[in-house]
Amino acid sequence: NKKVAINISAKEAESLDSLPENFCLISINEEFSDNTKLKFLEDRVLRLKFTDICASVNHKDLTYSSINKEQVDLILDFIEKYKDFNFLVHCMASISRSSAVCLFLHLFYDYDLKERFWNLSSPNPFVLGFLILEYKKRKSGEIFENNGLVYKFL
């Protein structure tokens, strides 16, 4: 059986009584909102907070941040840890941030996507691109220079 990646909304995540045994969950919330209230233990859950934008912006004395490198690294590490599991990925509406992660799983880990993905999704291009960039850096083992710092990607 092929593994699946399913994008769901925050309301759908909150309605789950338990996390199915062969699934893990990536929970993406808005920066200035409460975490999604889950009814189950969080041993296979990664929680993140970033806004559905492609660049950080200031508005009314608040800074709204897009996904950052630390969050991308957390997602990639979580995927590697649970690559034998199916994935549920949620954001507020299951349209942009969660679908970007699901599409990444499809493209680079050969996960199947359900019909709802193809009907409802509009993957955030910045989230998808950042995941692809950092994944390829890790796989190449090359040294990349970034803001004067040198990183070794294994």
Side-chain angles (χ1 to χ4, degrees):
N1 278 345
K2 208 166 184 186
K3 297 171 292 202
V4 296
I6 304 170
N7 51 315
I8 62 174
S9 69
K11 285 188 187 230
E12 288 171 306
E14 288 180 336
S15 73
L16 294 172
D17 290 326
S18 63
L19 188 58
E21 188 175 314
N22 59 342
F23 277 83
C24 56
L25 172 71
I26 297 176
S27 173
I28 304 170
N29 291 281
E30 293 290 335
E31 286 177 280
F32 303 107
S33 67
D34 293 334
N35 279 333
T36 302
K37 292 170 182 41
L38 302 175
K39 300 175 187 173
F40 46 86
L41 297 176
E42 299 189 21
D43 60 329
R44 290 171 294 165
V45 176
L46 173 63
R47 286 190 176 269
L48 300 167
K49 285 190 172 196
F50 58 89
T51 304
D52 189 14
I53 53 178
C54 291
S56 298
V57 294
N58 294 317
H59 180 68
K60 296 184 180 178
D61 298 324
L62 292 174
T63 299
Y64 295 88
S65 300
S66 58
I67 191 170
N68 60 42
K69 183 173 181 331
E70 179 183 337
Q71 292 166 323
V72 167
D73 286 339
L74 288 170
I75 292 171
L76 293 175
D77 291 345
F78 190 77
I79 289 170
E80 276 300 313
K81 181 177 180 180
Y82 292 106
K83 64 185 173 191
D84 293 328
F85 284 73
N86 296 298
F87 277 83
L88 292 174
V89 186
H90 95 73
C91 61
M92 183 57 70
S94 79
I95 295 171
S96 184
R97 291 167 292 172
S98 62
S99 65
V101 175
C102 287
L103 185 55
F104 173 80
L105 284 162
H106 173 69
L107 294 172
F108 291 92
Y109 287 85
D110 200 30
Y111 276 70
D112 272 346
L113 300 172
K114 296 294 185 184
E115 184 178 337
R116 69 182 283 151
F117 175 88
W118 301 110
N119 292 334
L120 299 172
S121 298
S122 179
N124 179 306
F126 186 73
V127 172
L128 180 60
F130 208 163
L131 286 166
I132 292 170
L133 176 69
E134 294 304 322
Y135 174 82
K136 287 188 171 199
K137 285 180 180 179
R138 286 182 178 200
K139 293 297 180 190
S140 73
E142 294 179 31
I143 296 176
F144 295 85
E145 191 168 326
N146 186 348
N147 297 328
L149 301 173
V150 177
Y151 299 101
K152 171 76 173 152
F153 295 92
L154 305 174

